């Protein structure tokens, strides 16, 4: 499995573009990007989150690509391009446009891929996990 | 459709100047004229009233209310208004989208069986054909009989079974609209139905769309959607002094406002100078509904022009809303300056000066501030010549990118952001009172007070951030 599919410079550049393009909507949140490849399946994720992770919205996409048509890197960038369009709509619709929690098929530019996303409060989840962990240790 | 992220550059994102800074976005439709659609359609003279309204205002009203909720209004529109609405809404990325047009035209089903065809045939021939040509193939009886049973099943027969057509699309919306259209055309005028099918099938591909594109461009220019180069002229500075001296000599009657100056000053805390002037002038009957409508039309025309410079799509209503907010701030600044903050004079200015003049006046004041900031930065031996060039050439994307790339390390994040606000296509001031210094928010410069605040913030920031550079 190739965990860092995109060169770091490209990843940073795309993150910067996302942060600048949607600056008006971010409200102290920022985007992070990751992309990986596993046996011809490319996964690209873009996460919108704030500093303490009380807002944590990862959008994950995966695509089984045909090497004759696209390279793995092109596939990863294609998916990120789509996620950017999703966020454009998401912000324009007042952050009401949500994605399925489970993997769901989607089509963009005649390419089929899968997508999922769920807004989480990781800050609270982590606190709950720590609490459970402590209580287990006590028991 | 918007450009792909990977095809964008920081420069191009900064250049539009609308969403690249963090500021409190305006609520959807806040700056658009709100028509009370329900009470308009309920009037006995509804048709005449609707047809006297500008198409773009009707378009915004329908978009805000929702197309399915506005079918009644849709049926009252004139052919010219429908054409203009299709011009605004059915051309994403400057290419005709028949499906989007079908959504509008389907509303005429409300007029009965003949509704769709009777309104469709009034559209320009080029529109009629361009909307259908990609989806239709016609067959005569001889051709039909050569087809296999499966292929025959896909065809729809005209009455008499001599002529058939096939809908070349997988989209249900396309099938529904075209079937409804031909059923409607056949029931009203068979000759028209046959001609529509044959012309749509045999016209050279894309010829109608190409011609239509030229017609559309000409019509959009009438609304202010001028060429890109022309749109940049709206951002040009103007000579401030003649305008200032012209209005400083104007006689003014202060009697109406003199008792209300305190209320006016209070209003300025929660609204822009422009809004406070209009509010007070309306209360004193110095600003009529006609003045309001004329002003609204002129600002909408200006916003359309500015939207070209920002490379906004014609149907981007929230983008237009933001432009209206930003231009309102610059108009307000120009108005405050030329009227020296006096509401009675400001009301006169508003009636006689075009909003574009006041907008350019506001920008001209900002250019002074930009110039003085560049001069001040140069005293710290910072490389600002290029910034000055970008500013003169109105290359705001390049100017902001330059600040990020060349000056950020020397001047620090806060000053850099404050300067990015100042050198934005729509200038804004950084709100330095926020607790979080890493996430700076921006505010509109909509009065002389805000202007002086911006100027003084910049001086203070430069003094504190750059003292080590001397």
């Amino acid at each position: 499995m190739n965990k860092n599919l995109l060169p770091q410079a490209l990843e940073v550049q795309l993150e910067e573009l996302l942060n600048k393009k949607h600056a008006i909507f971010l409200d102290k949140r920022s985007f992070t990007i990751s992309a990986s490849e596993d046996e011809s399946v490319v996964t690209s994720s873009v996460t919108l989150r704030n500093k303490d992770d009380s807002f944590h919205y990862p959008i994950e996409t995966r695509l089984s690509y045909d090497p004759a048509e696209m390279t793995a890197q092109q596939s990863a960038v294609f998916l990120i391009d789509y996620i950017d369009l999703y966020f454009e709509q998401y912000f324009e619709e007042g952050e009401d446009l949500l994605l399925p929690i489970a993997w769901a098929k989607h089509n963009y530019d005649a390419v089929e891929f899968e997508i999922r996303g769920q807004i989480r409060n990781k800050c609270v989840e982590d606190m709950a996990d720590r609490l459970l962990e402590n209580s287990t240790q006590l028991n | 459709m918007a450009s792909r992220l990977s095809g964008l550059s920081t420069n191009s994102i900064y250049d539009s100047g609308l969403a690249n800074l963090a500021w409190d976005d305006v609520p959807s439709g806040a700056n658009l004229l709100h028509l009370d659609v329900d009470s308009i359609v309920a009037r006995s003279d509804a048709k005449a009233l609707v047809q006297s309204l500008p198409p773009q205002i009707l378009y915004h009203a329908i978009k805000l209310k929702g197309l399915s909720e506005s079918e009644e209004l849709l049926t009252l529109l004139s052919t010219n208004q429908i054409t203009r609405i299709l011009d605004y809404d059915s051309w994403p990325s400057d290419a005709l989208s028949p499906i989007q047009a079908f959504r509008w035209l389907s509303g005429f089903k409300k007029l009965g069986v003949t509704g769709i065809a009777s309104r469709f045939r009034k559209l320009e021939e080029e529109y009629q054909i361009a909307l259908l040509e990609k989806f239709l193939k016609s067959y005569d009886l001889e051709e039909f009989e050569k087809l296999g049973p499966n292929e025959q099943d896909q065809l729809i027969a005209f009455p008499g079974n001599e002529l058939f057509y096939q809908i070349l699309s997988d989209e249900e919306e396309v099938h529904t609209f075209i079937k409804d259209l031909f059923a409607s055309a056949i029931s009203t005028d068979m000759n028209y139905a046959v001609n529509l099918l044959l012309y749509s099938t045999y016209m050279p591909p894309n010829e109608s769309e190409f011609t239509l594109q030229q017609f559309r461009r000409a019509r959009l220019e009438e609304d202010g959607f001028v060429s890109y180069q022309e749109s940049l002229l709206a951002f040009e500075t103007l000579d401030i002094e003649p305008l200032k001296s012209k209005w400083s000599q104007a006689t003014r009657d202060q009697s109406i406002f003199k008792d209300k100056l305190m209320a006016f000053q209070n209003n300025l805390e929660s609204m822009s100078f422009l809004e406070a002037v209009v509010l007070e002038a309306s209360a004193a009957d110095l600003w009529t509904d006609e003045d309001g409508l004329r002003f609204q039309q002129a600002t909408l025309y200006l916003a359309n022009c500015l939207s070209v410079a920002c490379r906004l799509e014609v149907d981007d209503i929230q983008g237009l809303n933001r432009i209206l907010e930003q231009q309102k701030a610059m108009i307000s600044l120009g108005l405050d300056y030329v009227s020296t903050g006096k509401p009675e004079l400001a009301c006169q200015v508003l009636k006689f000066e075009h909003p574009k003049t006041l907008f350019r006046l506001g920008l001209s004041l900002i250019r002074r501030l930009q110039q003085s900031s560049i001069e001040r930065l140069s005293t710290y031996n910072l490389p600002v010549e290029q910034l000055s060039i970008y500013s003169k050439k109105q290359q705001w994307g390049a100017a902001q990118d330059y600040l990020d790339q060349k000056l950020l390390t020397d001047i620090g994040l806060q000053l850099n952001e404050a300067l990015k606000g100042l050198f934005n296509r729509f200038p804004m001031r950084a709100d330095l009172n926020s607790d979080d210094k890493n996430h700076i928010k921006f505010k509109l410069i909509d009065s002389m007070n805000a202007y002086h605040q911006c100027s003084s913030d910049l001086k203070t920031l430069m003094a504190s951030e750059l003292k080590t550079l001397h």
Side-chain angles (χ1 to χ4, degrees):
Chain A
M1 181 173 174
N2 179 2
K3 277 197 169 172
N4 299 316
L5 181 57
L6 297 179
Q8 208 196 348
L10 178 60
E11 223 170 77
V12 170
Q13 188 200 339
L14 290 173
E15 281 173 0
E16 209 177 286
L17 289 173
L18 276 168
N19 285 321
K20 282 171 180 159
K21 181 176 171 185
H22 302 292
I24 191 170
F25 305 107
L26 291 186
D27 191 22
K28 299 183 183 176
R29 296 173 293 183
S30 60
F31 289 103
T32 50
I33 286 175
S34 68
S36 59
E37 183 197 8
D38 193 4
E39 293 176 358
S40 294
V41 175
V42 164
T43 304
S44 290
S45 307
V46 175
T47 305
L48 176 65
R49 46 178 292 217
N50 59 8
K51 209 172 171 184
D52 67 358
D53 263 337
S54 56
F55 181 94
H56 184 97
Y57 190 17
I59 309 290
E60 296 170 274
T61 48
R62 65 184 183 197
L63 160 66
S64 174
Y65 73 98
D66 178 357
E69 286 182 8
M70 279 201 263
T71 64
Q73 214 177 90
Q74 282 170 338
S75 309
V77 172
F78 167 85
L79 291 171
I80 292 167
D81 280 339
Y82 176 76
I83 299 175
D84 165 55
L85 288 182
Y86 162 74
F87 271 115
E88 208 169 289
Q89 282 286 104
Y90 170 76
F91 289 128
E92 288 298 336
E93 297 192 12
E95 309 206 8
D96 280 336
L97 179 73
L98 299 178
L99 289 169
I101 296 168
W103 286 113
K105 283 201 165 66
H106 198 79
N107 212 299
Y108 167 53
D109 234 7
V111 178
E112 195 168 90
F113 60 93
E114 289 184 303
I115 188 162
R116 69 176 178 187
Q118 184 182 12
I119 297 176
R120 296 165 61 187
N121 184 339
K122 277 198 70 172
C123 176
V124 170
E125 284 175 25
D126 290 347
M127 268 160 61
D129 284 348
R130 278 199 300 276
L131 217 72
L132 281 172
E133 207 175 290
N134 289 342
S135 71
T136 318
Q137 280 169 4
L138 285 172
N139 291 334
Chain B
M1 188 191 291
S3 309
R4 288 187 174 191
L5 180 77
S6 56
L8 293 175
S9 63
T10 313
N11 194 328
S12 65
I13 289 174
Y14 278 150
D15 199 54
S16 100
L18 279 176
N20 54 309
L21 300 176
W23 56 290
D24 288 332
D25 198 9
V26 267
S28 174
N31 291 306
L32 303 174
L33 189 66
H34 287 260
L35 292 180
D36 185 352
V37 174
D38 294 332
S39 49
I40 289 177
V41 296
R43 286 170 60 137
S44 57
D45 61 345
K47 191 171 180 180
L49 178 63
V50 167
Q51 296 195 352
S52 69
L53 291 169
Q56 203 181 2
I57 287 178
L58 287 164
Y59 170 62
H60 293 155
I62 296 172
K63 287 290 268 191
L64 291 176
K65 195 170 166 61
L67 188 50
S68 56
E69 302 291 311
S70 311
E71 283 181 348
E72 199 84 42
L73 175 64
L74 200 62
T75 58
L76 299 173
L77 301 179
S78 69
T79 303
N80 176 49
Q81 287 170 327
I82 295 162
T83 304
R84 301 295 275 259
I85 286 175
L86 294 182
D87 285 345
Y88 302 140
D89 204 66
S90 305
W91 294 78
S93 303
D94 265 345
L96 180 63
S97 162
I99 294 183
Q100 270 173 247
F102 294 164
R103 284 178 196 146
W104 286 92
L105 297 169
S106 295
F108 295 122
K109 268 195 260 181
K110 206 172 170 56
L111 293 170
V113 186
T114 58
I116 294 190
S118 66
R119 299 307 299 263
F120 190 84
R121 72 185 299 177
K122 286 184 185 159
L123 293 175
E124 289 164 335
E125 276 176 23
E126 287 78 8
Y127 247 126
Q128 296 180 45
I129 293 166
L131 287 172
L132 297 177
E133 65 181 358
K134 291 186 179 80
F135 303 117
L136 285 175
K137 190 169 178 188
S138 66
Y139 295 82
D140 59 22
L141 187 57
E142 203 182 323
E143 288 165 325
F144 176 79
E145 282 169 348
K146 286 181 190 160
L147 300 172
N150 286 346
E151 290 163 308
Q152 285 182 350
D153 283 347
Q154 291 174 17
L155 306 191
I156 301 157
F158 265 52
N161 291 331
E162 293 280 334
L163 183 62
F164 304 81
Y165 69 95
Q166 183 184 7
I167 301 171
L168 308 169
S169 170
D170 295 330
E171 302 274 350
E172 204 183 318
E173 266 180 292
V174 175
H175 276 260
T176 309
F177 178 80
I178 293 179
K179 279 185 199 167
D180 287 344
L181 174 65
F182 276 104
S184 172
I186 287 165
S187 70
T188 32
D189 182 346
M190 183 57 103
N191 282 337
Y192 169 67
V194 172
N195 283 335
L196 182 63
L197 175 63
L198 297 180
Y199 273 105
S200 303
T201 310
Y202 295 114
M203 277 295 276
N206 301 326
E207 192 176 278
S208 301
E209 185 176 330
F210 181 71
T211 315
L212 198 54
Q213 215 161 25
Q214 291 171 319
F215 294 163
R216 173 182 178 256
R217 207 163 292 144
R219 284 192 292 261
L220 287 179
E221 280 199 23
E222 287 173 21
D223 289 332
F225 294 102
V226 292
S227 69
Y228 178 71
Q229 287 306 327
E230 223 174 307
S231 72
L232 294 180
L233 296 177
F235 291 90
E236 289 284 340
T237 53
L238 49 71
D239 201 349
I240 294 175
E241 292 317 321
L243 199 63
K244 175 94 174 165
S245 91
K246 170 180 154 188
W247 284 102
S248 67
Q249 289 156 19
T251 52
R252 43 190 189 269
D253 176 12
Q254 293 195 21
S255 58
I256 295 162
F257 278 100
K258 72 176 178 193
D259 299 334
K260 295 180 177 168
L261 278 178
M262 189 61 86
F264 178 78
Q265 293 299 334
N266 286 341
N267 284 340
L268 286 180
E269 302 203 348
S270 58
M271 58 182 77
S272 70
F273 181 77
L274 169 66
E275 287 165 330
V277 167
V278 169
L279 188 73
E280 285 303 319
S282 303
D285 287 334
L286 292 175
W287 186 258
T288 62
D289 286 351
E290 285 73 41
D291 290 326
L293 192 62
R294 200 176 52 240
F295 184 73
Q296 175 83 16
Q297 267 295 94
T299 50
L300 188 55
Y301 182 92
L302 175 61
N304 290 342
C305 170
L306 303 183
S307 74
V308 178
C310 303
R311 302 188 190 278
L312 224 61
E313 296 249 0
V314 179
D315 64 347
D316 185 349
I317 293 189
Q318 184 54 11
L320 182 70
N321 202 17
R322 269 180 219 139
I323 287 187
L324 283 162
E325 186 76 1
Q326 292 279 8
Q327 79 175 24
K328 193 166 73 183
M330 280 301 109
I331 291 170
S332 183
L333 174 64
L335 184 66
D336 192 354
Y337 177 79
V338 80
S339 65
T340 54
K342 297 189 174 68
E344 67 285 350
L345 178 57
C347 182
Q348 284 185 49
V349 174
L350 262 190
K351 287 187 181 203
F352 289 101
E353 294 294 348
H354 195 281
K356 188 175 176 180
T357 310
L358 296 170
F359 174 79
R360 289 178 59 200
L361 175 61
L363 280 181
S364 306
L365 293 167
I366 300 286
R367 300 284 182 266
R368 284 183 174 178
L369 198 50
Q370 287 171 343
Q371 196 47 43
S372 65
S373 299
I374 287 175
E375 281 162 17
R376 197 174 286 265
L377 287 169
S378 69
T379 63
Y380 293 94
N381 295 323
L382 288 161
V384 287
E385 300 78 21
Q386 197 58 40
L387 187 62
S388 175
I389 293 168
Y390 289 141
S391 157
K392 280 182 187 136
K393 289 185 177 172
Q394 290 192 41
Q395 293 174 340
W396 307 114
Q400 296 196 13
D401 202 20
Y402 185 79
L403 282 161
D404 278 350
Q405 302 298 330
K406 305 285 180 195
L407 294 175
L408 174 62
T409 346
D410 289 330
I411 67 179
L413 180 71
Q414 277 202 50
L415 179 54
N416 194 60
E417 290 297 298
L419 287 169
K420 273 162 71 181
L422 185 65
F423 287 89
N424 195 35
R425 176 176 294 288
F426 296 100
M428 302 191 84
R429 70 186 175 92
D431 179 9
L432 302 172
N433 296 322
S434 160
D435 299 335
D436 189 347
K437 302 294 178 211
N438 292 320
H439 293 97
I440 292 168
K441 283 200 113 176
F442 291 83
K443 290 188 162 181
L444 301 168
I445 309 175
D446 54 6
S447 65
M448 286 308 291
N449 276 346
Y451 177 85
H452 292 310
Q453 181 71 50
C454 180
S455 169
S456 112
D457 284 351
L458 280 165
K459 279 181 197 157
T460 314
L461 263 179
M462 282 189 207
S464 64
E465 300 287 325
L466 306 179
K467 59 186 172 205
T468 53
L469 292 179
H470 256 315

